[in-house]
Amino acid sequence: MPLGHRRRSITGGVLDDWYTLIQKTIIEYQDPVTGLSPAFLFSDGSSTSDAWVRDNTYTSLCGWALSLAYKKLHDSKESISRALELEQVVVKQMRGLLFCMMRQVGKVEKFKSSQSKMHSLHAKYNRKTGAPAVGDHQWGHLQIDATSLYLIILAQMTASGLQIIYSLDEVAFVQNLVFYIEEAYRIPDYGIWERGDKSNNGEPELNASSIGMAKAALEALDGLDLFGSRGGPSSVIHILEDEVQQCNAKLESLLPRESSSKETDAALLAIIGYPAFAVEKGSLVSQVKEEILSKLQGKYGCKRFLRDGYQTVKEDPSRLYYHPSELKGFENIECEWPVFFAYLMIDGIFTNNLSQVAKYSGLLDAVLIRDEQGVVHIPELYYVPHDKVELEYKNPGSQERVWGKKWQSMWAQSLYIVAKLLQHDYVEVGELDPLNKRYNAVPRPDVIVQVALLCENPSLKKDMKVEGIEVETIHEACLTASAPMSILPAKALSSAYQHLGVSKKMSLTGRPQHKMGILGTSQMYNILGNFYAFTPQFVDQEQFYLWLDNELLVDLIKTDIAYLRSNWKKLGRPTMVLPIMRLMLGERSNWNRNPVWKLIEKLKSGYVAGTRIMVGQLSELIHTSCISKMTFLEGPKKSIIPMEFRKRVSTVVKARIQRLSSFMEPSPVTSRKTATLPDEVKGAVRRNRRTIFKMDSPKEVPTASELAAVWSQRRSTSGHLAMSSSFSGLISPGHSRRSSFTGVEVTTLLDILQSSEDIQVQADILHHIYTNNGGSYSFYLQTGEMVTVTTLLEELYQKACSLRMWSLVRHTAGLLRKKVEDLAQGLSDLLVRQKLVSVGLVNPAYGGMEMEIARPLSSTELLETIEKGCGSHHSATVISQEIIVYLAMFIRLEPDLFKDIWRIHIGIIMSIVVQELVRATKNSVEDATDVLLSLSPCGLKNLLYNLLSGREYRIDQFNMGEMEPQISIIAPTKRDMSKQLRNDVSVLGSIDEEPIEEKVGVWRRRRRLDGALNRIPAEFYTQVWYILERCDAIQMGHHHLPSRPTIEEMTAGELKFAVQVEKALNSLSHPEYRQLVVEALMLVAIVVQQDRGQGLGRILVVDHVIQAAHTQFLEDQRKSKGPSMQCCCEALGKCHGPMGICIHFYDSAPSGRYGTMTYTTAALVEKLKWIPTMTSDCKVS
């Protein structure tokens, strides 16, 4: 017998067995009209009437896999016909789901702008009709993962050769499904289990499995032609890479957790392996898998998540939601789902882990059910029977389980068949993954970033050539290219994408207007043979002053280059187009000191921000650039190309030059003529900003938690701030010319305003009039022209910008309600990486209150929230915006800076910056506030970075200045630090008191910084959970953290539990005291780990432990004649240390003979009598 015939007969016979199994368990239950399948089969042969999108998508996989296997048997007509039959079954099922979703096209259109769960696609439909199975409010329909899974499988099947999409209307709908899921990183949904929060309380949450599926779907569809190899430009799907990276950032910050209420979930197997392959870091894939296997795996399958009550005998079927206290009762008896053994088996095949395949193949075979005819079924789950629950509690995993009512899960049945077909090599992994997503975790080669420098005019080009830098003008770059070339601003690209996915027949408007990220603008685009390059988004900035600071502009360019290096995945190199303007460089004689010129020279050297750089002409760089085709702008209607594409970037550059000229040209208002102002007006601006952090005691800058009681009273008694920054209640020209709140005649002030050339006098007058009469207050100038206060404030703003008077720039920007163009994106960057943000001042006595932000906001909404939190302090409003933007820049490139920080308090960060400036400049809080507001944008950014990273810095060239403080903050280089070390060594033995004073306060400062930034040790929250197991409550200050129902509702690794602990810590008044509490709790955790059989008493009062440690510290100070002899040893509290603790105790190192942890350990020994007595030399590391 010929070998080929023998192989056909053996393989064909085995495939026929699998064909029979699919016929009896899958196809037999598929509706002949809609093509939809039920999700479950019951033991009596009945099935569900509803068809879930997720389950039907998974169900289609087994038919597709078997059809691929049959296609290999070319010499059998029967095999070819069965392959075609199975393909048609799959196509009918996938198109059935498509029709169901297309009937809800109106929801897709609304969801793009609202992202409301009421506008989401339904998760399930009637199997017979394809109509909605339940109403909008009757189910948790918002399930991003289900829609994303459908798109992944659609892409894979299309790439394998199946034709599922038939018309351009369907293409437009799929493109809009892309818009539906592309912001999954910011959309809380109900997730794969349709419950949201694990207590099933109806609240959606951000789920890693949903975000991972969305990311994978976007990557799978990028550039895919839905008509297959016979398609054209109109049937190609387009993806924006920046949205993919936002999903990736959020995904990596969530993992290995599933959500805030689930510390892990077996559903994550679908995103770390088949079918999504969404996680790019191999180490993270291993970590997630280890978490699942160690916490969820059982003999019958994997638990979905910890304390899952679904289908357990303890679940009350009469209630939809769980009580928090009953979640603990589900622990150790959660149902086990065999489907996850199929996932693990498939994962082993894709990773070529034969032992894993054998292990889970055996486990899967052990949980199969065979009916009377011997047909194999995979049940939905196995549960612990009622009579064995108590035994299972005592010895988890010891009792036999029984399968539930749903004796076949279509989802599990399909994946079982796929796993077996793969195991026996009837189908290859590459056939089920033609898009090669399985290589997602393979490291990528280093990225070379291409930079095209374009100057504004021939004059600048000539000057730069003299200095050794060859560049093109913008006009020359467009003419010298081998093909027609245009250089456009980023907003033109954003406008063009609004035409993507438009369908008048279905009332689909295309992609919503969003700003373009650097990944989008670093590609070149081909439209009908014409090439288009785009400048980065920051070139379009129009309103805010940040980009007037050349040093900050350089930092932004470096940040974007480093971001491209880390996140670029497209074919071809990224190309950054940078227009260079003369006003950026200033006078040619000063170019060698100009930061932009230094950057240009650095770019020419070929290495910037750890990234390889290639600088060249655009006509040369185009050959190695990433070029994307904007095929949606091609076709019969050429006029669809937006008007912005017909404008060259030179128009935008000229507009920017005009704007900058008004800021940068020397202002005539530079002299200081004497002007007599009333006392209540003179210095109004400075008084306003100096009270931002002013308190009764100038030595301590308060924190937000210190004034929590006052805030609470304000929230309960008043719904508005003492001083609103809105423009309501304005006085019209026909009203009285007297100020609304003072006895100062406005006429007098206006006369002084017009006659004075002193910019500070002008600022004080305008601030006073604005505060009392509003921005719309109008009056006539001596020239007869009528102007408003807002008009003059805008002029004052431009003058302050030209003089680089940053404090006045910030103040007027606040009065004018200016906002950073990227403000909303900055907030989103922080929230996406699992950080909560609070804005607002820490001083309610002066009109501030803290406002928590847990979801992305628009720039306008965020500005209003900041204004409400900062009250009447307009400078603080602007500084808050700056800090958000800077923190976003840091977290995009160096997320490790924030790894121990869970909540970011913008107001507290401002206060801690002021404290640092008090320490560094040896000035008062008021003067330090002046210094903060006078820092250049880049100076503030550098100071923030130094505080976050723990780098030391020094103040250079500080003086209070005639008009405003002048200060330069620099971080020492390695050479500076080596020189300082040599100097320190050289003066050993003759050290005077000044260097010693520099050493004092190091540990107190470190504790203050860590407390203000909310830094905590690794596994801190988990350790606190174990402490709560041993006591009734933990008391910190006036806050009680009860063990019941806290640990009954939440597991140790939940983010929700971390939130509860943070609330308790935030109730503490002083950041340095907060850190002492954290240290004490970590010591208690060590004690708990050593002896889990002992209790900690009813209530663990951490304050008592710290006070006892402090008492022992003072006793040792008396014995050793330590520095506390000058203060607290003489009279307790004499040094005014927070919470009555001596400042020298705060300034003690944690470890060592006289360390705080040594004293805290001794206090614990005294409190907990069962701890073995330790010697005085004991150290705790």
Side-chain angles (χ1 to χ4, degrees), residues 209 220 253 398 449 473 498 880:
S209 56
S253 67
S398 63
V449 177
T473 64
Q498 287 185 282
S880 297

Side-chain angles (χ1 to χ4, degrees), residues 18 21 62 339 342-343 345-346 361 364-365 368 370 376-378 410-422:
W18 290 108
L21 180 61
C62 63
V339 66
Y343 276 111
M345 187 177 168
I346 295 173
S361 177
L364 197 54
D365 289 340
L368 299 177
R370 295 184 183 273
V376 172
H377 304 272
I378 305 293
M410 293 291 191
W411 173 0
Q413 187 81 3
S414 179
L415 286 183
Y416 163 74
I417 295 172
V418 171
K420 289 298 183 179
L421 292 174
L422 284 168

